Each structure stands twice: as C-alpha cells, then as structure tokens.
Amino acid sequence: MELTGADILVECLKKEGVEFVFGYPGGAVLHIYDALYNQKGLNHILVRHEQGATHAADGYARSTDKPGVVLVTSGPGATNAVTGIATAYMDSIPMVVITGQVPTPLIGNDAFQEVDSVGITRPCVKHNFLVKDVKDLALTLKKAFYVATTGRPGPVVVDIPKDVTQHKAEFHYPEKVEMRSYNPVVRGHVGQVKRAVKLMLSAKRPMIYTGGGVILGDGSTELTELTRRLGYPITNTLMGLGAYPATDKQFVGMLGMHGTYEANMAMHHCDVLIAIGARFDDRVTGNIEKFCPTAKIVHVDIDPASISKNIKVDVPIVGCVKNVLEDMIRVLAELEQQPDREALADWWKQIEEWRETDCLKYDDSGELIKPQMVIAKLYEATNGDAYVTSDVGQHQMWAAQYYKFDKPRRWINSGGLGTMGFGLPAAMGVQFAHPEATVACVTGEGSVQMCIQELSTCLQYGLPIKIVNLNNRYLGMVRQWQQFFYDGRYSMSYMDALPDFVKLAEAYGHVGMNIERPEDVEPAFKEALGMKNRLVFMNFITDQTENVYPMIPAGAGLNEMILV
Amino acid sequence: MENEAGALSRVAGLFSARGYNIESLTVAPTEDASLSRMTLVTRGSDEILEQITKQLNKLVDVVKLLDLTEGPHIEREMMLVKVHAVGEHRHELKRLADIFRGRIVDVTPHTYTIELTGAGDKLDAFIEALAGTTILETVRSGVSGISRGEKSLRL
C-alpha cells in the first residue's frame, strides 16, 4: 500500500519501538503533525522550546538504553535544537532528530524558515541525512536509528522537506540494514585482552579509571565483577558515575578537576592504569605533561579515535566495553596468576592515608545553608535511589561529589558540552521513561532560567519532578574562577533582579518552597517528596561564598590540588 | 567515499574543525558511479596523522582509507600554465616545455598555454625554470595518488 511520507515516518518510528517523540510543530512539519494526529501508539510530547525537546529526548536516552527522538520544524526549529544536538554529541548519546525542511523546489532560495540544517548540524552529529525522495525515506530512517545506536552512539539528524512528507511511496521498513562504509567494532582483540590482563596482574599500584562508555555500553555489572575480583581501587569520571557502586569501599570517588584527593593522588602515583570507556578529557587529565607519570596504560574504547588522542597508551583495545570486560573476566579466570596481594595491601594503605584527608568535608555549623549539605540531605531523603539530573556549574559538581550513585543511568548531566539549561528538560525525559521513580533536578538560579519555560510542559503532562535550586545569587562557578584567578573582580557573575521562584513555580501551576535555614532542609525534602504527584520547586538560599573543592587549577597536575 | 552530496564537505569540515591542514585535495567519481575517490595531501607529526586517519575513518561517508605514503606509490598532478610568449622567446619556451615533457595546448600571437603532468616537485621545478618569463596564469589540479604494484584499493 502507498503511504504519504508523513505516514511512512510515523510507521517507521513505531517499527523502531519509539514510545515518545519530543517536539514542536511548525509549517514544514504540518503533514507530519497531521499524521501524528491520526495515529495511536506514539506519544508526542509538546515542549515549549526546541532546546527543551532535544534535552528531554537526551534525558530519556541516558536513563534508558533507547534512543531519544525529536521532531522539530525547519529554520528556527532546527537552529533551536542545535544546542541539544551538540550536547548529545559530546556525551555520545543516541538520538534521532527529525527536522522539517522547506519543499525541495524551494531549497536554496532563501525561502521562509529555510536554513541549511544538514550544514549547520554537520559538525555536531554522528551523521546526518537530507531526504530528497519519499522512496528513500524508510531506508534512511532505518539507517539513522542504526547509526545513532551502534558503535559509539550519537545524534543523527534526518532533514525532510515538506513535499517529501506529502508525496506517496510504497512502504517497506527493512528489518536490517548494512552500510559498507559503517562497520562498528564489537569485540576486542583477544590477544590484546590477554596482554592487558597480564599487565594488570603485574601491577604493584593499579588503578581503574572508567567513564561514560561503561554506562552507555551497559558494562556496569561486568565492571563491578572485574573490579571486585582484582581488588583494585576504582575511580569514575563525571560521566561514569554509577557504573561502579559509589558506596563500595574500593571506590575512591570521582577524579579530575573537582575529583577527590584520594582518586587524583592514586591516579598520579599508579603504575598500571586501566582506562575503560573514558576519553582522557582535559578536565580529567589536568596538565597532560604531568599525567600519570609512572603508569603503563591499558585503554578500552569502542572508538579507535579516542585511543592515543590525548595520552599515548601501551595496550589499546578497540571494542564494546561490555564484551571486552567479559573477555577480561574470562582470561583472568583462565590464568593461574593472582594479583600481587602484598603490594596491593601497601597500595591500599597509602590510599587510605590519602582518604583520611577527608577532602569533601565542609562546615555546616553556621547560620547559612551549605549547598553540599543540601545534596547530602537529598541523598538521604531519596535513599540514594533517585534519578538526578543537573545543569552546569558548582551545583553540578556538588551533586556529583555528594550524591553517591550506586547504579548506572541515575546521574544525568551534560559533561562534555557543559550546557546550562539541560537539567529541567532532561528531567522531563527521565520522568517519562520512569513515571514511578523520584526524579530530582539539581540546578542553580542561573541554569534553571535557561529552560524555565519547560515548567509549562511539566504541568501539561503532570511530571512530578523535584527541582533542587541551589540559589546563591551568583553564577557560582564563574564567581569561583574570578575569585581564584581574577583577584575577585566579579565581572557579570552576580545576578541582580532574580525572580521570586516560589511565585514563578506557582504561576506555572506548581508548588514552590523557599528554604533559608539549615534546619529546614531536611523537613523540606520530606514535605516535597511527600507530594508524589506534584512538581515542587525547592529554592534553597545557600551560602554565597562557598566554593567547589578540591580543585585542580588549569595547567596543574593531578597531584597539585587546592584542598580548601 | 560514497558519491553523495555532502561527503566532500564532511571531510573539509573535519579538517577545519580539528585544525588539520589540507595541502591539496582532489575528488572525482570512479568507474563505480556510487563511489568517488579522493586524494588528500596533509602534513603533521605521526600522532596527528594517526588522529587524522582515525577521524576520517569515523566519517560514515568514508568507505576505505589508505595512507599511500606507507608504501611505494605514484603521485601525479596536472598543471596548466599560460605564459607571455613573443618573438625569440617562443622557441625557448617550446624547448623548455619539451624538456619537461609538457605540451603546448593553446597558442595565440602573444601566449602559450602549457600542460604539464608530474609529481608536485617537478611542477615546482618547471615554474622555477620559467624565471624570466611572464607567467599570466597557473592552475594545478592537486595531487592524485595510487599505490605501486599489484595491490589495489578495492572494496
């Protein structure tokens, strides 16, 4: 049977098992919205801004193992989506973004709401397509989902001109697709895995360092098993939190610019570094010249381009982390050799000494609410079992430091691009995916205002997100850098004329709470979490002078932390 | 590469986004109409070249990639030079073109247009040899490359 392009699109999404499409209508996608009107099974979520749609789809994808799907119109619809696409690209999040385009005869004519969406998104997508013929539509969408979800995942844009959605073609959705120019590696090289395991067993001061790849590759169970068998210390990157239980004693905390003293010192002094699904980002390595000076490095990554990009490694393994970790566990069982228990005991003794520094301690005896304490109380009040999204800045670091994630896919933040405005819409996507779960959005008064309009979406769909606003009346991370590195010249980091967040929440039909005293923090969480079906905007008035510690200044090595 | 609209801009965009340098780039369809072949000349340390290779391989439109400098290979570039040619000088220019195995492909009372093919340094040498002649215009095709021997780049 012949279908219109719009109907073909809807059918393709259904065949892919898509539950939610996050989008916003407009001229170029009217045929598609008409097709959505006439169907059952696909839920379209109407956001208030296209950036919100991309972040919501992104949050959905991060908290599940499914791709997020976005539908926006041409021109400004597409450009508004770009920030969200770039956010997903930097963190390797699988996403399919359908952008409307002006009719094919008008392309290149500076038509109303025309923009070269394929051109604009090219540097921030894994791949993109312009569909010029309705006959190619189904196959192109199949390819889009295939590319987005396999190998190192990422966003894929499919640009569809309006006339293509109106034209008819025979509908056939392929079960499988093969692309001669795209063959992602799945298994690691067995010989390399053996070499890696032997090197790992030879270590006197081993260290396991894992990133977002373990979460995206669903390798958490295998990572935990391998780490426990070896008895080695493990650290996670900002993107990798939750891949290994944070409450386990082998976990030494997050590493990097705001990582723990023990994690960064152990990195600096280790003799064998086992990097898994991590990409040696500049926020992790600090000064590359001073990074892990005595270590031999094993690096497992699905993307060959990540290997030896910033740091030269000794045993590279290209493959899906889950499979490689399984192979490592198997090889470990086959080998007679055991880790050097004596050396390991000395190493742990040293690490425990570093741990005694208690680098995350803070003084909450004063009159002002300490932001760290808010996160600690959130952790307690949610039994450590909430999905936590965040925006970008100090609150993000505190959430990462003080909420101990024991499970993967619970910590949802924009690590790579560092997109303010991510937290609230991402929380929407998470709540759609997990309607019964507690979803908290840890944010700041700067970030939350960047996508505040989505409070309206939350009301429309009854999303009971708990917004934890750490309100210090400053763009805190900017202020912190200005304090440390610009002699306290607080250029444009103070926000005058903030809204009354309680009234704002109420205006959007939600519950707002002001919390100004430390003793009110715990009861406030109890009250807010008790409102199971309501979005609660919790505005915590926090200590303005608080900084994120420890901190590695730019250009310093991991052993050169500022400790308070 | 896939012979598709946008494939070239993906390559060019990758080089500019990551700060790599393109010395020359040629691209044209092959005997298989669905494929086009690109020869790209770049410079960099071994680490940079390794990254360029990996990043290019990541592009979905890139079907196969080969570093020709890893083995014996042939590089050819074509150049057209339009020079001022009058009087006695015309004979000299004809001889010079012959020495370089170039051909005069267009003649006017005041100009010659010379076609010359070879490796880049041969073309450079010819330009140098033209010192004293007024060069009106040059156009170079950029380098095309192929490996020597029986091995060939195929799918």
Side-chain angles (χ1 to χ4, degrees):
Chain A
M1 199 180 76
E2 288 210 324
L3 295 179
T4 66
D7 287 324
I8 288 174
L9 169 62
V10 168
E11 289 309 311
C12 291
L13 296 182
K14 284 188 187 169
K15 294 262 185 200
E16 283 294 330
V18 174
E19 298 173 278
F20 298 103
V21 178
F22 300 89
Y24 203 101
V29 285
L30 279 172
H31 296 313
I32 301 172
Y33 274 84
D34 198 46
L36 283 169
Y37 189 82
N38 290 320
Q39 58 81 44
K40 286 203 178 71
L42 270 186
N43 299 298
H44 179 278
I45 308 303
L46 178 65
V47 295
R48 297 299 180 267
H49 185 289
E50 288 88 350
Q51 184 184 348
T54 47
H55 292 329
D58 184 325
Y60 174 87
R62 289 180 202 236
S63 69
T64 61
D65 56 357
K66 298 178 219 167
V69 178
V70 177
L71 171 59
V72 296
T73 194
S74 63
T79 56
N80 278 347
V82 168
T83 299
I85 295 168
T87 303
Y89 180 66
M90 285 292 275
D91 289 342
S92 308
I93 306 304
M95 198 150 96
V96 173
V97 181
I98 293 141
T99 54
Q101 183 53 276
V102 300
T104 41
L106 286 181
I107 289 179
N109 269 348
D110 300 327
F112 176 65
Q113 293 196 327
E114 180 184 0
V115 76
D116 176 10
S117 301
V118 165
I120 282 184
T121 58
R122 188 174 295 128
C124 60
V125 292
K126 186 169 171 188
H127 197 56
N128 57 16
F129 300 93
L130 170 63
V131 184
K132 283 189 165 168
D133 188 331
V134 68
K135 290 195 211 72
D136 301 331
L137 183 57
L139 180 62
T140 305
L141 285 162
K142 183 75 198 176
K143 284 182 183 172
F145 278 93
Y146 173 59
V147 171
T149 54
T150 50
R152 180 178 181 173
V156 174
V157 166
V158 184
D159 198 28
I160 312 178
K162 188 170 186 179
D163 54 332
V164 171
T165 63
Q166 194 175 22
H167 295 158
K168 287 188 168 179
E170 201 65 38
F171 175 59
H172 166 70
Y173 199 62
E175 288 289 312
K176 267 178 68 178
V177 65
E178 277 186 21
M179 296 164 73
R180 62 181 172 188
S181 56
Y182 177 71
N183 299 294
V185 178
V186 181
R187 292 216 85 90
H189 189 275
V190 182
Q192 286 292 86
V193 172
K194 280 189 183 147
R195 273 184 65 203
V197 172
K198 280 183 185 154
L199 180 61
M200 284 150 68
L201 286 171
S202 74
K204 304 259 183 248
R205 300 183 308 280
M207 184 68 178
I208 302 173
Y209 143 61
T210 80
V214 178
I215 290 172
L216 292 167
D218 284 321
S220 186
T221 312
E222 293 76 10
L223 175 70
T224 307
E225 188 184 336
L226 180 74
T227 306
R228 290 206 170 127
R229 281 197 184 195
L230 290 166
Y232 291 175
I234 177 166
T235 179
N236 291 161
T237 68
L238 179 68
M239 294 309 299
L241 293 173
Y244 189 85
T247 51
D248 188 272
K249 61 183 189 315
Q250 277 173 254
F251 186 68
V252 296
M254 182 172 78
L255 84 163
M257 183 172 273
H258 295 297
T260 65
Y261 184 68
E262 51 272 31
N264 285 336
M265 291 301 275
M267 287 290 289
H268 188 78
H269 293 279
C270 72
D271 69 345
V272 174
L273 180 66
I274 304 140
I276 304 170
R279 62 186 176 91
F280 297 87
D281 173 84
D282 55 278
R283 286 297 192 262
V284 157
T285 59
N287 187 337
I288 282 186
E289 304 297 319
K290 301 177 184 174
F291 181 75
C292 294
T294 51
K296 292 252 183 233
I297 303 176
V298 174
H299 188 190
V300 183
D301 204 287
I302 199 158
D303 178 6
S306 277
I307 290 173
S308 292
K309 182 174 73 175
N310 302 332
I311 302 284
K312 201 92 193 129
V313 301
D314 301 280
V315 186
I317 302 174
V318 177
C320 173
V321 288
K322 190 184 178 76
N323 296 340
V324 173
L325 284 165
E326 281 169 357
D327 287 347
M328 282 181 167
I329 293 167
R330 192 175 43 75
V331 171
L332 197 61
E334 284 167 10
L335 289 173
E336 298 284 299
Q337 208 184 335
Q338 287 293 315
D340 184 340
R341 296 290 168 198
E342 210 168 303
L344 198 56
D346 287 346
W347 179 227
W348 271 113
K349 194 160 157 271
Q350 171 66 71
I351 290 170
E352 291 306 332
E353 271 172 39
W354 288 325
R355 208 182 324 231
E356 276 165 26
T357 312
D358 196 10
C359 65
L360 294 180
K361 65 177 175 287
Y362 55 93
D363 176 14
D364 61 351
S365 60
E367 298 281 292
L368 299 170
I369 296 176
K370 289 288 181 186
Q372 300 94 324
M373 182 267 266
V374 177
I375 305 297
K377 293 291 178 197
L378 171 69
Y379 174 74
E380 286 169 22
T382 54
N383 299 315
D385 206 28
Y387 288 84
V388 179
T389 73
S390 93
D391 275 292
V392 171
Q394 287 184 319
H395 67 267
Q396 177 189 25
M397 293 301 119
W398 286 318
Q401 290 174 331
Y402 294 92
Y403 201 101
K404 299 189 261 306
F405 295 93
D406 277 344
K407 294 177 193 165
R409 298 190 182 277
R410 294 298 173 110
W411 166 236
I412 314 283
N413 85 124
S414 166
L417 196 66
T419 308
M420 290 170 73
F422 174 81
L424 176 56
M428 303 191 318
V430 176
Q431 191 80 75
F432 278 114
H434 309 278
E436 302 304 322
T438 300
V439 181
C441 166
V442 175
T443 184
E445 79 287 349
S447 285
V448 78
Q449 290 191 81
M450 285 210 183
C451 271
I452 194 79
Q453 74 286 346
E454 298 306 329
L455 283 175
S456 177
T457 311
C458 293
L459 184 71
Q460 182 170 344
Y461 297 97
L463 303 175
I465 295 162
K466 303 298 179 274
I467 297 174
V468 178
N469 187 36
L470 301 180
N471 185 345
N472 63 355
R473 287 81 69 211
Y474 270 111
L475 299 175
M477 193 58 94
V478 175
R479 189 202 56 72
Q480 177 168 342
W481 279 63
Q482 288 171 336
Q483 180 190 334
F484 288 3
F485 310 117
Y486 297 88
D487 293 329
R489 293 186 296 280
Y490 297 124
S491 180
M492 294 295 141
S493 54
Y494 178 70
M495 274 207 175
D496 217 343
L498 284 170
D500 179 334
F501 284 109
V502 172
K503 280 190 184 158
L504 183 75
E506 287 169 358
Y508 275 108
H510 301 300
V511 179
M513 291 165 70
N514 267 331
I515 304 100
E516 298 177 33
R517 294 182 308 172
E519 60 269 32
D520 294 338
V521 172
E522 203 174 321
F525 275 124
K526 204 167 173 221
E527 191 187 342
L529 291 166
M531 288 184 258
K532 291 272 178 230
N533 300 317
R534 298 300 299 274
L535 183 148
V536 184
F537 192 113
M538 309 177 75
N539 185 41
F540 293 92
I541 306 299
T542 60
D543 184 350
Q544 292 190 289
T545 61
E546 198 54 51
N547 290 322
V548 180
Y549 295 110
M551 179 172 181
I552 299 169
L558 291 187
N559 58 334
E560 298 169 310
M561 272 160 284
I562 304 173
L563 278 173
V564 177
Chain B
M1 304 196 309
E2 298 290 350
N3 186 14
E4 278 179 19
L8 172 60
S9 60
R10 281 181 217 283
V11 173
L14 170 70
F15 273 72
S16 65
R18 295 196 179 263
Y20 307 142
N21 168 41
I22 300 178
E23 293 215 345
S24 102
L25 184 159
T26 62
V27 59
T30 63
E31 69 283 2
D32 174 348
S34 71
L35 288 172
S36 57
R37 168 138 174 170
M38 173 185 281
T39 307
L40 192 148
V41 181
T42 185
R43 266 176 214 285
S45 63
D46 287 351
E47 289 76 33
I48 301 264
L49 293 180
E50 186 184 331
Q51 260 302 306
I52 292 176
T53 308
K54 286 173 169 177
Q55 294 290 349
L56 281 170
N57 267 320
K58 257 174 89 167
L59 294 178
V60 171
D61 284 336
V62 173
V63 182
K64 206 159 186 182
L65 187 139
L66 181 69
D67 181 354
L68 287 174
T69 63
E70 281 177 354
H73 65 283
I74 301 158
E75 281 177 41
R76 285 293 179 270
E77 186 174 3
M78 199 268 278
M79 175 168 71
L80 296 169
V81 196
K82 190 179 283 185
V83 292
H84 190 62
V86 284
E88 276 305 297
H89 206 46
R90 288 173 83 88
H91 297 295
E92 201 185 314
L93 281 168
K94 173 77 173 69
R95 278 197 296 274
L96 194 62
D98 287 343
I99 291 168
F100 277 85
R101 297 183 192 193
R103 293 192 303 149
I104 297 172
V105 290
D106 188 48
V107 178
T108 75
H110 301 106
T111 66
Y112 278 163
T113 300
I114 303 163
E115 177 195 316
L116 191 66
T117 302
D121 50 358
K122 176 180 162 186
L123 305 191
D124 294 340
F126 183 65
I127 297 271
E128 262 177 54
L130 285 175
T133 308
T134 310
I135 297 175
L136 301 170
E137 205 179 327
T138 61
V139 55
R140 294 171 72 146
S141 64
V143 176
S144 292
I146 200 163
S147 59
R148 284 189 184 276
E150 292 190 3
K151 262 182 142 179
S152 57
L153 179 60
R154 339 189 104 260
L155 292 191

